[in-house]
Amino acid sequence: NAGVTQTPKFQVLKTGQSMTLQCAQDMNHEYMSWYRQDPGMGLRLIHYSVGAGITDQGEVPNGYNVSRSTTEDFPLRLLSAAPSQTSVYFCASSQTLGTLHFGNGTRLTVT
Amino acid sequence: GQQLNQSPQSMFIQEGEDVSMNCTSSSIFNTWLWYKQDPGEGPVLLIALYKAGELTSNGRLTAQFGITRKDSFLNISASIPSDVGIYFCAGSNVNNNDMRFGAGTRLTVKP
């Protein structure tokens, strides 16, 4: 049982480059979200989606775009990477808000 | 935005000791949750609390949803080495569809 799968596990970007962090879940969950984890700051919500075709901003959305064309996939796009976006990114899904299932994270470094 | 204050930031304890950590919020939450994160992995749900005053146990873990709905605590009894990790509190409200996390408590258990 795969659960929530994130790719890649590690990524290094140069400032100004763009990339997409992939997230897929096989539990037919309606709710999906992206968090970033920085030392001493816990997990901060970037964007979330309550179903296919519906997305909304979280606490720290600037510099990130999302889309939800299918129930299974919720990619996170960085349009022009900045060093401040160096972080560990977690995707999560749930059937009801609260019982989040997290992926194993993508560690991103922007130089 | 909603702020969660989690304390302590870190704890160093001896195997067998009991542990207590708590979380307070400037806002009311409908749901309080506690997650644990092992190194290199995403957080995993430990306990979910849905009603003010609720006290719930999961093995050696006990958590309570504060009466004011602005706080929660987690106790771990008779700690063991595999309890090592980062513990996060999280609060959510159904109405606004997002979940906020505390900064985490890093627990170290010395054998």
Side-chain angles (χ1 to χ4, degrees), chain A residues 24-42:
Chain A
Q25 53 95 4
D26 61 1
M27 297 172 282
N28 204 32
H29 287 166
E30 292 293 330
Y31 183 92
M32 295 186 75
S33 53
W34 277 101
Y35 287 85
R36 59 177 289 173
Q37 183 176 21
D38 301 293
M41 301 188 76

Side-chain angles (χ1 to χ4, degrees), chain A residues 43 90 100-103, chain B residues 35-37 41-45 88 101:
Chain A
L43 293 138
F90 287 99
L100 293 176
H101 298 259
F102 284 88
Chain B
Y35 287 83
K36 183 192 177 204
Q37 184 180 30
E41 298 183 10
V44 174
L45 180 67
F88 291 101
F101 282 77

